[in-house]
Amino acid sequence: LDEDANIRWKAVHTLGQIGDPRAAGRIGFLLGDPDKSVRGISKNVLKDLGISEEKIADWEIKAEQLSIDEVYRTKQAYQKAEIEKKELTKKLKSEKDLKKQLEESLKNKDTAFGKQKDLIESLYEKERQLKSKQAQLDITRKQSEEYQAELQRLNSKVQSLNTELNQAKTQTATETVQQELDKTLAAKSKLEQETKNSIEKESSLREEIAGLNALAEKTRLEAEAA
């Protein structure tokens, strides 16, 4: 229903020219139109469509109770409600999508925090192992240095005893020096083995520390990424 009375008049006139009785119901609403010319043509067209005088009169009474303005306002209100409904549906869908994205984001965040926590705990454990291995390495290195110093002392003693042995003039002196030399050589042999073991342990600890350092750095980067 258009606000312009002229357009409403033309619409009724056109429907009358078409002559389709199915349009009578809609034209009947215009019997209550605020414009007199529209009411007049509506009544004439209804007659042309074969609607009886009694029915037209009945429609006129009903049309007076429901004016065209009210019909127009009702139509506008209905259209407005439809638009609001579509907008609200769209908004609700958007909010649902946003809520879903937020829930997924929070879930991913919780997962990331959990992973980061595990990685940090793993990092602390690796750093603890590193400190322990480093302490063992310091002790082993110090022990190796002590062994090497003791070996130098024993080597000097062996040289000295060999000199004494060569210079011994009696059997007793020779036997005494020989016994001391044998004892020193045995101690030296034992110390050489211990020094070798200590050096090997030191080398092994250095490799373990290098490996732990690499793992710790990798874990640190993963924790930062998480």
Side-chain angles (χ1 to χ4, degrees):
L1 296 175
D2 199 277
E3 292 185 56
D4 191 337
N6 289 327
I7 292 177
R8 295 200 299 276
W9 189 94
K10 289 179 182 178
V12 175
H13 177 69
T14 301
L15 288 172
Q17 288 182 327
I18 294 171
D20 190 344
R22 289 177 296 180
R26 291 184 177 274
I27 296 171
F29 281 111
L30 296 173
L31 292 172
D33 196 280
D35 188 274
K36 184 178 180 180
S37 62
V38 175
R39 292 198 302 272
I41 192 171
S42 296
K43 188 172 183 178
N44 291 333
V45 168
L46 286 172
K47 287 179 181 179
D48 293 341
L49 291 174
I51 305 301
S52 66
E53 291 281 352
E54 293 79 8
K55 197 164 188 178
I56 291 173
D58 183 51
W59 281 0
E60 282 180 323
I61 294 172
K62 291 179 179 179
E64 286 176 2
Q65 295 173 353
L66 182 65
S67 69
I68 194 67
D69 288 339
E70 290 173 339
V71 172
Y72 180 73
R73 284 195 296 272
T74 302
K75 181 179 180 182
Q76 279 190 320
Y78 174 77
Q79 290 174 339
K80 183 180 179 181
E82 281 293 307
I83 292 170
E84 289 176 350
K85 180 183 176 182
K86 288 178 181 179
E87 290 178 349
L88 182 59
T89 302
K90 184 178 179 180
K91 184 179 179 182
L92 287 172
K93 185 177 183 299
S94 176
E95 288 178 351
K96 285 180 181 178
D97 291 341
L98 183 62
K99 182 182 178 183
K100 185 178 179 181
Q101 291 175 13
L102 180 59
E103 288 174 346
E104 188 66 25
S105 177
L106 289 172
K107 183 180 177 182
N108 291 338
K109 190 174 182 181
D110 289 340
T111 302
F113 278 147
K115 182 180 179 182
Q116 187 183 53
K117 181 182 176 183
D118 292 341
L119 287 168
I120 289 172
E121 289 177 355
S122 176
L123 179 60
Y124 285 156
E125 175 60 23
K126 287 179 176 62
E127 289 179 344
R128 185 194 66 77
Q129 292 176 17
L130 269 171
K131 288 179 181 178
S132 175
K133 294 293 181 183
Q134 189 62 54
Q136 292 178 44
L137 178 60
D138 292 341
I139 292 170
T140 305
R141 186 168 53 237
K142 185 178 179 181
Q143 196 173 52
S144 295
E145 291 172 356
E146 291 174 354
Y147 285 163
Q148 288 171 2
E150 180 64 14
L151 273 174
Q152 288 179 357
R153 190 187 68 79
L154 289 174
N155 281 328
S156 296
K157 187 176 180 180
V158 167
Q159 289 176 1
S160 177
L161 288 170
N162 279 324
T163 301
E164 288 182 32
L165 187 62
N166 292 330
Q167 294 176 353
K169 296 180 179 179
T170 64
Q171 183 68 27
T172 302
T174 300
E175 290 176 357
T176 301
V177 174
Q178 186 64 54
Q179 287 176 359
E180 184 64 22
L181 179 59
D182 292 340
K183 183 179 177 182
T184 303
L185 288 171
K188 180 188 172 185
S189 177
K190 182 180 179 182
L191 189 58
E192 284 175 340
Q193 185 60 46
E194 290 177 350
T195 302
K196 181 182 177 183
N197 293 340
S198 181
I199 291 172
E200 288 176 352
K201 183 178 180 181
E202 185 178 339
S203 176
S204 176
L205 284 168
R206 288 183 187 280
E207 289 180 3
E208 289 183 42
I209 288 171
L212 282 170
N213 268 322
L215 283 173
E217 181 61 23
K218 181 183 177 182
T219 304
R220 188 179 295 107
L221 292 174
E222 288 177 353
E224 288 175 0

